[in-house]
Amino acid sequence: MSQDRAPIVAEVDAVVVGAGFGGLYMVHRLRKLGMSIQGFDAAGGVGGTWYWNRYPGARCDIPSLFYSYTWSPEVQQAWRWSEKYAAQPEILAYAEFVAEKYDLKRAFAFESKVSSAVWDEVARRWTVTTDRGDRVNARFCIMATGCLSVPRAPDLPGQDSFEGETFHTGRWPHEPVSFEGRRVGVIGTGSSAIQSITEIAKTAGHVFVFQRTPNFSVPARNAPLRDEDYSAFWEQYPAYRQMVLEGTAGIAGGSPFRSLTAEQQRARFEELWNIGGAGYLGALADLLTNPVANDAAADFVREKIREIVKDPEVAEALLPDDHPIGAKRICVDTGYYDTFNRDNVTLVNLRKEPIEAITPAGVRTRDQEYPVEAIVFGTGFDAMTGALLNLDILGRGGFTLAEAWREGPRTYLGLQIAGFPNFFTITGPGSPSVLSNMISSCEQHVDWISDCLGWLQDNGVEVIEADPQAQEDWVEKVNEAADKTLFPRANSWYIGANIPGKPRVFMPYVGGHYRSICNQVAAESYRGFRLSKSRDSATQRAARA
Ligand code: NAP
């Protein structure tokens, strides 16, 4: 995959880290501001999460028509999705299409992993270095590093002794992988594993699914997109766009639980189950805040699992029982539960027989060894903070981000961190991020940051930095919002529970009206940010020399 890189630009206005949907649009907007840019990505090309997650069955869980940029009418007109939920190759092709159309690739050095970003207080600039020895000075550092970009390394004894092939869903090879006739072990039953198990089982000799915690999954009911689907989409598009702008798109609809009779509740669950997709969580207005409403929605899914899975013991083991439905990311599948009716699929219930070790020939649980030729780890990611904390980021006074976030991430609006001037995070912790349509949230952050940088230019402001008190107030608001919901009741990656030792802090903002809050902050001349006027350029040159 190694490729020639364009020469690195050593002095720029902005460094953009990440060439996923956030980073690509960021480059486009910065160019419109006339800024010079150096982008970096560890990947060999654009696409971010869709570059890496190439596992069998990988597809979006947001309808493709909505998982699309809205900033380019040309792209909207030119691109046509083939399915309701696009598969990974098509989403990657979409990212490449946009990058080509707007000539965005040349802003990036690929296969170049940023290793540090250090703020120079005198020069008022960031120095960014990479694993290729690059060194770039920039006034702004914009992190479009993604929320699920650092795969969680499995931590099982004996892993290195395994003589077969191993894969992680989040770092899938670019070469085709065939499981035809092979014995495969899949570890994990989150979204990635659930999608891949269903697909791998179609050709594998045998699939052993090693499940520690059962998850809720709803059918996608994926289908080709027809002309009439597109027509209906365009008809409702103005209203949808308005909802996106107001920040109300995707907010649970439906009536509150108690306003419906038991029959009406059931009819509602059935209706959304039949429509398919994560919209199931919108069945009731209070599904994610009222435990009784949540139990009813969860019971309905458990009933469906019992109906679909023929072996009652397997069905029982697949029933999620340790978290409210939706408090962990709901999985969206294409025949997952039915896969357990196949003769070539075995569910290994790790609650009864925990994994003791990976052996040269397979996976050994407390009860027996399962010989496999390949192991697929669908063991997740160090979510939301992993990509940032993996770098050495030093802000004001040499203070590191790791120190600043020792007790969990703290940001102002998920956009900036006190002590880290001119440093922005796209869909960072403290913003709706992973609990929203990521592509729309990337767009909103990029628009906000670009407008902010334009405003700084127009107003002669050189440095912008979150005010520590404004940040504290925002962190409190994020926590208060989460505490009103059922989210904190699950040991999810939203709360860092999947990473041993990670502080338990609910990271996304779920309080609503986020866009209007951000817009209002901007309208009030960036309330809650400290702004420092430009010094004259001679002083700056002297400082840099
Ligand atoms: P995940 O949801 O964190 O799931 C990881 C799985 O691995 C869990 O079942 C976990 O079990 C298991 N696991 C971890 N360590 C283990 C161990 N030592 N032994 C046995 N099992 C172990 O990760 P993911 O499936 O990659 O999904 C992450 C997120 O990516 C999703 O929630 C979603 O937001 C996103 N995603 C989206 C799509 C889509 O758009 N359709 C597809 C894939 C992923 P425990 O629960 O017991 O820890």
Side-chain angles (χ1 to χ4, degrees), residues 204-515:
H206 203 95
V207 180
F208 296 95
V209 176
F210 294 92
Q211 173 191 269
R212 196 164 62 181
T213 314
N215 259 314
F216 288 98
S217 189
V218 292
R221 311 228 183 266
N222 191 25
L225 278 175
R226 303 155 306 171
D227 287 344
E228 49 266 47
D229 299 318
Y230 261 89
S231 309
F233 170 73
W234 285 120
E235 255 171 51
Q236 60 159 305
Y237 186 73
Y240 168 70
R241 183 77 190 123
Q242 194 52 37
M243 282 194 293
V244 168
L245 292 174
E246 287 165 7
T248 51
I251 287 181
S255 311
F257 179 73
R258 299 231 174 271
S259 70
L260 303 175
T261 63
E263 290 72 34
Q264 287 169 328
Q265 289 158 8
R266 220 191 137 70
R268 180 82 179 136
F269 297 144
E270 192 76 52
E271 179 195 354
L272 287 166
W273 176 269
N274 289 331
I275 292 172
Y280 185 79
L281 298 178
L284 301 167
D286 50 353
L287 191 147
L288 289 166
T289 50
N290 172 0
V292 183
N294 191 283
D295 281 347
D299 280 344
F300 182 86
V301 174
R302 285 190 278 259
E303 236 177 79
K304 289 289 180 192
I305 299 171
R306 285 196 189 96
E307 257 171 51
I308 300 168
V309 180
K310 297 202 174 94
D311 181 329
E313 202 185 324
V314 176
E316 209 56 32
L318 284 166
L319 301 181
D321 58 2
D322 77 330
H323 62 279
I325 186 168
K328 277 186 174 183
R329 173 78 163 210
I330 196 159
C331 305
V332 176
D333 71 83
T334 304
Y336 175 62
Y337 293 117
D338 205 29
T339 298
F340 292 93
N341 294 326
R342 296 178 69 110
D343 292 338
N344 69 335
V345 176
T346 303
L347 181 70
V348 182
N349 184 353
L350 301 181
R351 281 175 170 173
K352 288 196 170 153
E353 44 171 323
I355 294 177
E356 287 189 337
I358 304 293
T359 66
V363 181
R364 194 182 74 231
T365 66
R366 196 183 57 198
D367 294 355
Q368 61 173 296
E369 180 170 21
Y370 295 88
V372 292
E373 293 147 275
I375 300 178
V376 173
F377 291 99
T379 43
F381 300 87
D382 185 354
M384 301 199 77
T385 55
L388 294 166
L389 292 174
N390 264 8
L391 319 178
D392 287 326
I393 300 173
L394 274 72
R396 206 178 273 295
F399 198 54
T400 66
L401 186 63
E403 286 167 310
W405 284 5
R406 192 185 298 282
E407 284 167 23
R410 309 181 88 70
T411 69
Y412 181 39
L413 302 171
L415 281 159
Q416 262 216 340
I417 304 153
F420 297 81
N422 287 1
F423 184 92
F424 294 92
T425 49
I426 295 181
T427 64
S431 72
S433 186
V434 291
L435 284 173
S436 62
N437 175 344
M438 282 302 279
I439 211 162
S440 319
S441 288
C442 285
E443 263 188 52
Q444 184 240 342
H445 269 191
V446 170
D447 285 337
W448 192 95
I449 294 168
S450 312
D451 292 347
C452 169
L453 300 192
W455 186 90
L456 301 183
Q457 266 177 356
D458 294 346
N459 289 276
V461 175
E462 193 179 11
V463 179
I464 180 166
E465 180 183 350
D467 175 72
Q469 189 54 51
Q471 176 168 290
E472 284 317 294
D473 294 347
W474 182 251
V475 169
E476 204 178 305
K477 200 172 163 71
V478 172
N479 292 336
E480 271 171 15
D483 288 343
K484 288 185 187 143
T485 71
L486 303 175
F487 284 109
R489 299 195 186 188
N491 286 322
S492 68
W493 56 258
Y494 296 144
I495 210 160
N498 63 329
I499 305 291
K502 188 162 172 170
R504 218 184 143 90
V505 172
F506 187 77
M507 296 183 277
Y509 169 67
V510 287
H513 311 291
Y514 177 74
R515 284 172 193 242

Side-chain angles (χ1 to χ4, degrees), residues 50 55 59-61 148 152 155-156 169 187-193 195 210 212-213 215 328-329 350 355 378-381 493 498:
W50 301 105
Y55 58 84
R59 66 174 70 245
C60 197
D61 61 2
L148 295 159
R152 177 175 176 257
D155 47 6
L156 298 163
T169 51
I187 299 184
T189 47
S191 303
S192 306
Q195 288 185 331
F210 294 92
R212 196 164 62 181
T213 314
N215 259 314
K328 277 186 174 183
R329 173 78 163 210
L350 301 181
I355 294 177
T379 43
F381 300 87
W493 56 258
N498 63 329

Side-chain angles (χ1 to χ4, degrees), residues 176-194:
V177 177
S178 169
F179 292 111
E180 182 107 30
R182 298 167 80 195
R183 292 167 68 88
V184 185
V186 180
I187 299 184
T189 47
S191 303
S192 306
I194 280 178

Side-chain angles (χ1 to χ4, degrees), residues 20-39:
F21 285 120
L24 288 176
Y25 181 40
M26 192 75 240
V27 165
H28 177 69
R29 287 293 313 262
L30 291 172
R31 277 194 191 146
K32 290 205 151 206
L33 287 171
M35 289 193 167
S36 54
I37 307 147
Q38 178 61 59

